[in-house]
Amino acid sequence: MRRGRYGFDAPMALLGLVAGAVILLVLAVTSFGQDVPAAGIAFLLGGLYTLASAASYLYTTRRGKFAVWAAELERLKGDERLLDLGCGRGAVLVLAARRLPEGRATGVDLWRSRDQSGNDESVTRANAEAEGVSVDLVTGDMRELAFDDESFDVVVSSLAIHNIPDAAGREKAVREAHRVLRPGGLMLLADFQHTPAYEDTLRELGVVDVRRRDLGWRFWYGGPWFRTWMLEARKPRAAG
């Protein structure tokens, strides 16, 4: 049972789906009322389809992503230092902190509400307190991380890197994630865009233990056309 309040991912997108479904269903009722059954059926099917997409989106943002990340983080031993890039209100950060009784979880974010409703450092801190865990929070840009090289055993990110608008900036964020990860450390980057480019960047950096996989229906933002991919990688250990 989650005690924190984690908001909605990209709330305007969810509102757009709900509004679209309502408009199409109203048009369907109007068409049937005016004895235009062909148009009514088309609008009805479109409305139900859009409503199903909204339900999928709502499920993912409120339940599905938590279940997926909980399974991903089961591999933690409990003593790692973990960094969450774009931690938002702490959905992944808090899950990780629960599994680190002898470690430490750190979240970094710019706290922008357009990326997640009510996104604010004070909200994230309150969520951690409500869940009974302690975390470190840093206000910062994932393209210029204020951490030393090889500072973390694990680096994670959930639907955050794609918010950087330019390809060069996203590449820099992946390079920064690689820089602060210790040799042998684990990287888990979940996103619904640009993951092949993230993989290319890591391979350019010499990472060979890397794979990209579909996270399944629990991480669909409206349907399979907005599925989420996980990029999993291990930073090579130094030779010798």
Side-chain angles (χ1 to χ4, degrees), residues 6-206:
Y6 297 98
F8 298 86
D9 300 327
M12 295 308 297
L14 177 58
L15 287 174
L17 285 172
V18 173
V22 170
I23 291 170
L24 287 168
L25 292 174
V26 168
L27 289 172
V29 171
T30 302
S31 297
F32 284 124
Q34 294 181 351
D35 198 24
V36 188
I41 291 172
F43 285 130
L44 177 61
L45 292 176
L48 293 175
Y49 179 81
T50 307
L51 188 61
S53 296
S56 168
Y57 194 115
L58 182 62
Y59 171 80
T60 292
T61 194
R62 300 297 290 175
R63 295 183 63 89
K65 68 179 183 182
F66 293 91
V68 171
W69 271 107
E72 293 290 336
L73 295 171
E74 285 181 355
R75 71 189 77 190
L76 296 179
K77 299 191 299 293
D79 60 352
E80 297 94 337
R81 290 193 65 199
L82 178 144
L83 176 65
D84 184 359
L85 301 175
C87 64
R89 296 173 64 149
V92 178
L93 184 68
V94 168
L95 284 173
R98 286 178 174 177
R99 290 163 172 76
L100 297 172
E102 299 177 6
R104 193 69 178 173
T106 300
V108 59
D109 206 297
L110 290 173
W111 319 111
R112 297 184 299 198
S113 59
R114 69 173 179 266
D115 300 330
Q116 186 177 59
S117 64
N119 192 10
D120 188 87
E121 181 179 353
S122 63
V123 175
T124 309
R125 197 171 301 280
N127 282 342
E129 292 175 358
E131 303 284 4
V133 298
S134 177
V135 299
D136 295 324
L137 298 177
V138 176
T139 299
D141 192 325
M142 68 182 79
R143 292 167 292 188
E144 297 180 1
L145 295 173
F147 305 109
D148 293 335
D149 295 355
E150 303 177 4
S151 297
F152 295 94
D153 304 294
V154 183
V155 175
V156 302
S157 182
S158 186
L159 302 173
I161 298 177
H162 77 269
N163 290 318
I164 299 173
D166 59 289
R170 293 190 294 272
E171 178 181 343
K172 191 171 183 181
V174 174
R175 289 180 176 273
E176 280 288 273
H178 178 270
R179 177 183 67 80
V180 301
L181 186 64
R182 69 166 177 80
L186 173 66
M187 186 181 299
L188 295 171
L189 307 180
D191 220 328
F192 60 82
Q193 292 178 308
H194 312 302
T195 49
Y198 305 163
E199 181 177 357
D200 290 343
T201 297
L202 289 173
R203 291 193 182 278
E204 288 174 8
L205 290 167

